[in-house]
Amino acid sequence: MKFSYYPGCVMHGTAVEYGMSTLATCRTLGIDIVEIPDWNCCGALEVYPDMYLELALSARNAAIAEQTGFPMMTTCAICFHNVSKAYFAVNESEKAKDMINEALGDITYEGKVGIRHLLDILVSDYGLENVSAKVKRSLSELKVAPYYGCLLARPKEIARFDDPENPQFLDRLIGALGAVAVPFEHKMKCCGGSLLMSREDLAHHLSRNILEEAVNVGADCLVITCPMCNVLLDLQQKEIEKRYGITLNMPVLYFTQLIGLALGHKPKELGLDKNVVSTAGVLKKLGVD
Amino acid sequence: MNTIKAADFDPNFKFEIEKELGGEHLTKCFNCTGCTVGCPISEIEPAYNPRKAMRMAILGMKKELFESEIMWLCVSCYTCYDQCPQDVRITDVLNAMKNIAEREERMGHIKLESAKPAFDKEFVDSIKRHGEVYETGVVIAQIVKHQGIKRLLEYTPTGIFMLKKGKLSLIPKNIKGMKQIKNIFRVVRGKE
């Protein structure tokens, strides 16, 4: 199983632990990933008003991956959405394909190579029974709130995996790792990420709702698949506590960090010391130093 | 009572939107409110209502839309997009409207008040300069300009934690293919 890996900018920045745990878990699972050379930013959520620019920026990355012949893989839900959009645009419209390639100039994107999110690869291709077979550390004490966020399953015509209203991929993965996925009503509710820099009050309100449900259902941690959600739920958690005068103290783990723990990796290899809200409670529950 | 005057509207606005990538399906909207039910922002911010935004666009209330914060309150979660029975693709239509507004601002025709288009610009300009986004610079610039130095200083402990953990880069780094990035911007944005 081989993929061209598109980490996305945040894996070099705020989501460095996501990048570390992605590399560690893929290595242990035997998924061969090779970083695509000289990739660029997909424009994240901020490029959305200019769809032509959005498609062209992602098409450049896909064009580079296409030269390798292997499908692209990412763990960033936003990069996944943006490259998928370029892939479908090029495959569904000759006009869009011409426009995009005009912008690309000296490279061409044929639309042969698309992008997959690692969660989808694990469930749909690798097989959860094969993930279970590699589990070395028991997570049975752990109650996990699965949080999908927006772009992993929506819009359905772009994401094209799992159920957009009540997705199960992450719940099933958590179960396959031996942990308990708690029913979580906010699993598909937006964290407010794209408004953090303009309407912090609204972003905090939305994230507070998610974190409070995780606390109320007795989850030991929240598990996420998007680095933007991490900025709100982990990095901004203290700010949210301050704004509302509440205590949350909810550890937020990337799903690759949870897999890595089950596979027997040391916490440091997974960057668990880099999460803002301390993950010590989770590790203690698992009996890990 | 605060009434609207149809004679002041721009009847071409809906066609202008439909010409933008993503705006093509605007006039399929029959204003059923399916979008607003389930919108996470409508639940907490009365100023935002996607159904109303679609109606205003079809009526030609360009000035009212561009002078208010309405379209900048969309959080791009795509909930309404999936719920719409008419396949209006509301998130994309709103983005098409934002694109017209951001372009008119770049051309110096209007001034947008919201901090959201300012952040979009900060972010996209960083890609134009470096190929990768320079997260640290973009976020600091936005906080200083729109929330003030005091707010930035409040983030000092978080900043120090992130620096120690290697989660902040201090120097922007350009990708090798800057010529290709420049070409993308040149073709997409033309002579603007």
Side-chain angles (χ1 to χ4, degrees):
Chain A
M1 201 175 269
K2 192 166 178 175
F3 293 92
S4 298
Y5 175 46
Y6 175 38
C9 306
V10 285
M11 304 297 167
H12 294 168
T14 51
V16 64
E17 68 272 37
Y18 203 6
M20 289 170 72
S21 54
T22 297
L23 295 180
T25 52
C26 283
R27 196 171 58 240
T28 307
L29 291 170
I31 298 171
D32 196 2
I33 55 174
V34 181
E35 188 166 327
I36 63 168
D38 205 42
W39 49 265
N40 56 271
C41 176
C42 72
L45 302 156
E46 286 67 26
V47 77
Y48 283 5
D50 195 339
M51 195 189 278
Y52 187 13
L53 184 61
E54 178 196 354
L55 294 173
L57 286 171
S58 281
R60 180 180 175 273
N61 294 320
I64 298 171
E66 208 161 62
Q67 290 166 1
T68 70
F70 300 105
M72 287 168 88
M73 186 280 274
T74 187
T75 48
C76 173
I78 303 171
C79 296
F80 163 73
H81 171 92
N82 292 3
V83 179
S84 293
K85 220 159 155 179
Y87 172 77
F88 290 123
V90 165
N91 278 287
E92 285 165 7
S93 155
E94 277 299 319
K95 193 182 157 218
K97 187 177 176 180
D98 290 345
M99 275 175 76
I100 288 166
N101 280 314
E102 191 199 338
L104 291 189
D106 59 1
I107 43 166
T108 307
Y109 179 42
E110 296 292 347
K112 286 187 190 127
V113 162
I115 192 161
R116 308 280 304 279
H117 191 279
L118 180 62
L119 177 62
D120 176 31
I121 292 169
L122 292 179
V123 179
S124 307
D125 301 26
Y126 192 88
L128 289 177
E129 64 286 4
N130 296 322
V131 176
S132 295
K134 301 233 176 195
V135 169
K136 288 215 174 76
R137 185 183 278 138
S138 170
L139 304 186
S140 61
E141 290 299 307
L142 217 56
K143 281 167 80 179
V144 179
Y147 178 66
Y148 293 75
C150 300
L151 296 177
L152 201 58
R154 270 194 313 258
K156 49 182 179 274
E157 66 194 50
I158 300 285
R160 301 194 187 185
F161 81 89
D162 213 351
D163 180 335
E165 282 175 23
N166 184 18
Q168 295 298 323
F169 276 18
L170 193 52
D171 298 62
R172 286 168 55 204
L173 174 74
I174 292 164
L177 295 173
V180 180
V182 296
F184 196 56
E185 278 184 22
H186 281 83
K187 60 159 74 167
M188 292 297 291
K189 286 278 195 176
C190 182
C191 72
S194 76
L195 295 183
L196 178 65
M197 285 291 135
S198 52
R199 283 294 301 268
E200 192 183 81
D201 57 329
L202 298 178
H204 281 175
H205 192 142
L206 294 183
S207 279
R208 174 195 178 172
N209 293 345
I210 296 160
L211 290 162
E212 278 192 327
E213 192 196 350
V215 172
N216 292 339
V217 296
D220 296 305
C221 64
L222 197 64
V223 162
I224 59 168
T225 62
C226 170
M228 184 75 240
C229 301
N230 176 272
V231 170
L232 263 293
L233 299 169
D234 190 34
L235 185 59
Q236 288 281 322
Q237 197 178 125
K238 278 198 188 86
E239 298 294 323
I240 294 168
E241 289 179 328
K242 245 191 273 169
R243 177 185 293 272
Y244 297 106
I246 54 173
T247 306
L248 296 160
N249 204 18
M250 175 55 59
V252 180
L253 271 62
Y254 286 108
F255 80 109
T256 44
Q257 290 183 307
L258 190 76
I259 302 171
L261 278 174
L263 296 177
H265 279 283
K266 293 193 183 97
K268 274 220 157 176
E269 294 173 328
L270 305 168
L272 279 156
D273 57 321
K274 296 179 191 295
N275 297 45
V276 178
V277 177
S278 170
T279 56
V282 171
L283 298 177
K284 198 177 163 204
K285 209 161 182 189
L286 299 178
V288 184
D289 295 325
Chain B
M1 206 162 96
N2 198 5
T3 55
I4 56 171
K5 247 165 97 188
D8 294 341
F9 298 162
D10 176 352
N12 284 320
F13 188 43
K14 56 184 176 292
F15 304 124
E16 200 182 344
I17 294 166
E18 285 186 325
K19 269 189 229 144
E20 292 287 321
L21 275 180
E24 300 89 346
H25 291 198
L26 168 64
T27 53
K28 284 185 170 194
C29 174
F30 53 35
N31 252 249
C32 70
T33 313
C35 51
T36 309
V37 179
C39 169
I41 298 297
S42 295
E43 281 173 18
I44 60 173
E45 169 56 270
Y48 185 65
N49 178 322
R51 182 201 64 79
K52 196 170 160 190
M54 293 300 106
R55 191 73 194 131
M56 287 173 79
I58 291 171
L59 282 172
M61 298 173 74
K62 182 176 178 175
K63 192 168 177 283
E64 288 79 358
L65 280 164
F66 283 14
E67 285 174 1
S68 73
E69 207 193 359
I70 296 175
M71 56 192 188
W72 308 107
L73 292 171
C74 167
V75 75
S76 295
C77 73
Y78 287 91
T79 308
C80 60
Y81 189 108
D82 271 358
Q83 280 174 351
C84 175
Q86 279 291 91
D87 191 30
V88 171
R89 306 182 184 177
I90 298 141
T91 319
D92 289 349
V93 170
L94 280 160
N95 280 326
M97 283 155 59
K98 292 180 210 172
N99 199 32
I100 296 169
E102 289 186 358
R103 191 189 301 128
E104 289 193 5
E105 186 178 53
R106 284 198 297 275
M107 286 157 61
H109 298 163
I110 53 170
K111 175 87 189 80
L112 300 168
E113 296 301 324
S114 166
K116 177 65 176 129
F119 185 63
D120 290 348
K121 185 174 185 305
E122 202 77 59
F123 196 99
V124 171
D125 283 352
S126 181
I127 301 172
K128 195 176 175 181
R129 273 197 299 274
H130 310 297
E132 257 191 58
V133 68
Y134 178 47
E135 241 184 335
T136 316
V138 164
V139 169
I140 290 177
Q142 178 74 6
I143 294 175
V144 170
K145 283 183 202 163
H146 296 272
Q147 298 178 40
I149 294 270
K150 196 170 158 268
R151 182 74 183 117
L152 184 71
L153 292 175
E154 286 170 14
Y155 275 116
T156 309
T158 312
I160 290 170
F161 173 88
M162 290 177 74
L163 255 180
K164 275 192 197 154
K165 299 290 180 185
K167 297 177 97 167
L168 280 186
S169 51
L170 288 180
I171 307 156
K173 174 177 111 230
N174 287 11
I175 67 161
K176 291 194 204 98
M178 282 313 293
K179 244 177 98 180
Q180 290 171 338
I181 298 295
K182 295 249 173 330
N183 192 66
I184 289 173
F185 276 88
R186 191 183 54 77
V187 174
V188 171
R189 299 233 161 133
K191 287 186 193 127
E192 266 178 32

